[in-house]
Amino acid sequence: MIAPSYWIDPKSGNNYMVTVQYANKFLNNMSMEDFENIPLRGIKPAGYDPMQDARQAGKQSGELTKGDHTSGYTPLSSVTDIKLINTPTEVDHYQIRRVIDIYVSTKTEALQRVGSEISKLLANTQTDKNTVLNLRGAVVSMNHSFAEFGIGLIIAVLMVYLILMTQFTSFIDPFIILMAIPPGLAGLF
């Protein structure tokens, strides 16, 4: 099965599904002229009359009988304008928008260090007004998790302070107890 591509008509804006299959053995050594001459319809057997198809199609098929269609052969260049251009071989989408994905994997470095380097590169890259550079993936979820953990830690220390404050009925004693914990942990290691 060949995955269909979508061609957007520049005049009407309509999307058309395009599916093409051509054998690789023919494409490998093909010139641009050979590519333009790819047949859209095969050559009919000797004695075939294309007028017969046109007559069977109905009264309004006069356009089918115009031109030289005696062989039944229609090259690709007769229906399209073919140009050699540089373009991505695959276009990905993220929330309907077209994106270009750049994948980075680390072997030995910490993900946080690589993520901060990539963030610096993205911040220093100048783009036009229609281009947006985003960092997605494991780095984003890791940073979000650490931010949530930091907020949770602050709330936990505040809750311990409030509980100690009610236990000692003092504002200063719980503060002294909480300030003694970091040096005590440092002495442990």
Side-chain angles (χ1 to χ4, degrees):
M1 176 88 187
I2 298 172
S5 299
Y6 291 94
W7 176 74
I8 300 173
D9 184 5
K11 292 180 183 174
S12 67
N14 292 334
N15 293 342
Y16 294 98
M17 208 167 21
V18 179
T19 304
V20 178
Q21 182 176 6
Y22 209 76
N24 283 339
K25 65 181 179 180
F26 297 118
L27 291 175
N28 289 340
N29 299 319
M30 191 177 277
S31 68
M32 187 56 96
E33 186 177 334
D34 294 336
F35 188 73
E36 289 174 349
N37 288 322
I38 290 176
L40 296 179
R41 293 185 295 166
I43 297 175
K44 301 294 181 179
Y48 172 77
D49 182 16
M51 299 297 283
Q52 183 180 8
D53 281 347
R55 283 191 285 278
Q56 289 175 354
K59 297 177 186 176
Q60 299 168 343
S61 60
E63 293 297 318
L64 294 175
T65 62
K66 292 182 181 176
D68 182 22
H69 297 284
T70 55
S71 68
Y73 171 80
T74 304
L76 182 62
S77 61
S78 68
V79 295
T80 186
D81 199 18
I82 301 172
K83 296 175 187 164
L84 185 62
I85 60 170
N86 289 327
T87 184
T89 56
E90 180 179 327
V91 178
D92 294 325
H93 290 83
Y94 180 73
Q95 296 179 347
I96 304 177
R97 294 187 178 139
R98 279 193 280 178
V99 297
I100 296 174
D101 292 325
I102 299 173
Y103 297 99
V104 178
S105 63
T106 62
K107 287 187 178 180
T108 57
E109 289 192 52
L111 188 58
Q112 180 63 34
R113 183 181 304 158
V114 174
S116 64
E117 290 294 322
I118 293 172
S119 295
K120 286 178 193 174
L121 283 171
L122 292 178
N124 295 331
T125 303
Q126 294 182 359
T127 61
D128 61 354
K129 65 179 181 175
N130 294 326
T131 304
V132 178
L133 300 175
N134 286 329
L135 180 64
R136 292 194 315 264
V139 173
V140 175
S141 17
M142 181 188 69
N143 289 337
H144 180 71
S145 297
F146 282 139
E148 293 289 322
F149 176 73
I151 291 170
L153 185 63
I154 291 170
I155 291 173
V157 168
L158 184 64
M159 293 301 292
V160 168
Y161 176 77
L162 291 174
I163 291 171
L164 288 174
M165 190 177 70
T166 57
Q167 291 283 326
F168 292 109
T169 61
S170 169
F171 289 107
I172 297 175
D173 289 343
F175 185 72
I176 293 170
I177 293 171
L178 287 177
M179 287 300 117
I181 292 175
L185 287 177
L188 227 113
F189 298 109

